[in-house]
Amino acid sequence: MAAAALSQLREKIARSQRVVALTGAGISAESGVPTFRGQDGLWRQYRAVDLATPQAFQRDPRLVWEFYQWRRRLLQPLKPNPAHLALAALEEAVPEFTLITQNIDGLHALAGSRRVLELHGNIWHLRCTGCGVVREDRRLDLPALPTCADCGAWLRPHVVWFGEMLDPEILAAAVAAVENCQVLLVIGTSGLVQPAASLGRRAKQRGAFVAELNLEPTPQSDLYDLALHGRAGVLVPQLLEPER
Ligand code: OAD
């Protein structure tokens, strides 16, 4: 029963020193960010290979930038929702809380989360393809092909594209956090993209209590101790409510 499961999860969190949350596009859906694989999902409308690969950027950097500028314009007015806010509050309540996200929208930081491991980068950060410098840049009026103020090379969005490696330091920190945590919350992710998809299994193998919070069951649901189905904006704040 959902109420009993929720109560069990609250109790596990209350007794834990180390809690980790792994989030995906579903947590930002109620803020108005499109997911990737749902009915109106981004990868249902666009071919990722044309827009989100290093080859696409080499072939047609202007087209790739047009796509990311469009996404930046869509994201810019969006606000964190109650699920983002609840995770920021959980960070304050739990002795050691780590937030790992696959999202590039920056909404966790806007909600007040301080320690966020952004596995797939951040769309508001630009990286120089020449000297590698990374800078935050929230302008919506970037040139069609922005260049580095230091060395003049092209800038690219500081996000992980298909076929690219994740930042090894961020990945190592995420793996260490899930391997040492007592509770892992897997929120709003389809669990289809590696290596993020394997983090739940790792936590489970190390003895953590793993709970999935998602609109619907996923291919990973059966691996976990508990699954709560519903909107993240409703479910995640319920984790903070006192037991009645
Ligand atoms: P997906 O679009 O694959 O999955 C979104 C998940 O969120 C699904 O399981 C939905 O059921 C769930 N969901 C949707 N709305 C929800 C809501 N309101 N509350 C709770 N759950 C909800 O997105 P991700 O799993 O994040 O990578 O995708 C992983 C990666 O694939 C992304 O980071 C991106 C993409 O290609 C890169 O760009 C590198």
Side-chain angles (χ1 to χ4, degrees):
M1 220 185 103
L6 187 61
S7 180
Q8 187 190 10
L9 182 53
R10 275 196 203 119
E11 196 183 312
K12 291 277 179 195
I13 293 172
R15 287 166 186 249
S16 297
Q17 295 290 309
R18 296 176 305 283
V19 175
V20 174
L22 167 67
T23 65
I27 199 165
S28 293
E30 289 157 71
S31 292
V33 182
T35 60
F36 293 95
R37 297 175 181 79
Q39 220 169 21
D40 302 317
L42 212 52
W43 298 148
R44 295 244 177 146
Q45 301 172 54
Y46 301 97
R47 275 162 35 102
V49 285
D50 294 337
L51 299 163
T53 61
Q55 293 78 12
F57 191 68
Q58 265 168 12
R59 201 169 46 236
D60 194 346
R62 280 170 201 272
L63 176 72
V64 172
W65 259 118
E66 219 172 275
F67 175 62
Y68 279 92
Q69 284 289 58
W70 170 73
R71 286 178 70 187
R72 283 162 63 103
R73 279 195 295 275
L74 287 183
L75 290 174
Q76 203 267 342
L78 304 185
K79 301 272 182 289
N81 67 55
H84 297 107
L85 297 170
L87 289 184
L90 208 53
E91 183 174 18
E92 300 302 317
V94 172
E96 265 185 60
F97 182 80
T98 306
L99 179 48
I100 306 169
T101 188
Q102 298 166 83
N103 300 343
I104 60 172
D105 54 35
L107 288 175
H108 284 303
L110 271 188
S113 285
R114 284 175 289 125
R115 190 173 143 69
V116 187
L117 298 173
E118 294 179 314
L119 286 179
H120 294 163
N122 186 314
I123 199 166
W124 302 109
H125 293 172
L126 308 187
R127 183 166 87 239
C128 177
T129 56
C131 66
V133 68
V134 177
R135 288 208 177 91
E136 181 171 354
D137 189 335
R138 293 185 165 261
R139 282 178 298 161
L140 296 180
D141 59 350
L142 288 171
L145 198 45
T147 51
C148 177
D150 294 341
C151 75
W154 291 342
L155 293 171
R156 58 165 280 181
H158 185 48
V159 300
V160 176
W161 283 331
F162 288 95
E164 290 186 319
M165 305 284 283
L166 273 58
D167 179 320
E169 278 179 29
I170 294 177
L171 181 60
V175 169
V178 298
E179 287 189 341
N180 288 309
C181 73
Q182 292 153 299
V183 174
L184 172 66
L185 308 168
V186 181
I187 307 170
T189 176
S190 58
L192 294 171
V193 174
Q194 293 295 355
S198 63
L199 293 176
R201 187 189 297 267
R202 275 181 189 252
K204 192 78 198 92
Q205 283 165 347
R206 291 298 198 101
F209 184 86
V210 183
E212 179 180 71
L213 285 67
N214 198 301
L215 210 48
E216 55 193 26
T218 72
Q220 310 252 359
S221 305
D222 290 342
L223 291 175
Y224 301 146
D225 296 287
L226 177 157
L228 291 171
H229 297 134
R231 293 193 287 126
V234 173
L235 290 177
V236 186
Q238 285 177 349
L239 298 178
L240 294 163
E241 286 172 9
E243 281 296 331
R244 266 162 266 163

